[in-house]
Amino acid sequence: MAAEEVTCATCRACCCRLEVMLITDTGVPKEYITEDKWGGETMLRLDDGWCSAIDRETMLCTIYEQRPWICREFEMGSDECLDERAELL
């Protein structure tokens, strides 16, 4: 899929299966945070591999305004985005 075809309407939230380290405080609610084996804070992922903050019906972030910095920086349609989409399609 070409980058110009990736829009909010066609996003499959593929990046929401990646491990997300919490580097800065953006106000992520504690129930969405876990600790990795090195003691760092990460976004909690559920047994299905998806971020716990994703609404499974809409595939939208339920904490969008408090989402982690790395989520804010992940660019829709970027090479990384397209790579993740290709993995799941």
Side-chain angles (χ1 to χ4, degrees):
M1 177 172 278
E4 59 271 2
E5 294 176 309
V6 180
T7 67
C8 290
T10 63
C11 179
R12 296 175 183 233
C14 298
C15 57
C16 299
R17 293 182 58 92
L18 298 171
E19 183 175 32
V20 174
M21 297 288 299
L22 300 179
I23 299 167
T24 61
D25 182 16
T26 58
V28 173
K30 293 289 183 197
E31 64 265 25
Y32 299 109
I33 299 173
T34 191
E35 191 174 290
D36 67 13
K37 63 184 177 182
W38 298 281
E41 288 187 330
T42 64
M43 288 297 291
L44 175 67
R45 289 188 292 169
L46 301 181
D47 291 338
D48 62 3
W50 292 93
C51 175
S52 61
I54 292 295
D55 179 309
R56 300 310 192 278
E57 289 183 29
T58 64
M59 296 309 285
L60 296 174
C61 182
T62 61
I63 60 164
Y64 189 79
E65 292 301 319
Q66 294 99 10
R67 71 193 184 281
W69 174 81
I70 196 71
C71 297
R72 295 167 190 263
E73 293 296 313
F74 197 91
E75 186 178 342
M76 182 170 46
S78 67
D79 288 341
E80 293 85 3
C81 170
L82 296 177
D83 288 346
E84 289 305 315
R85 289 173 65 92
E87 292 274 331
L88 289 180
L89 298 178

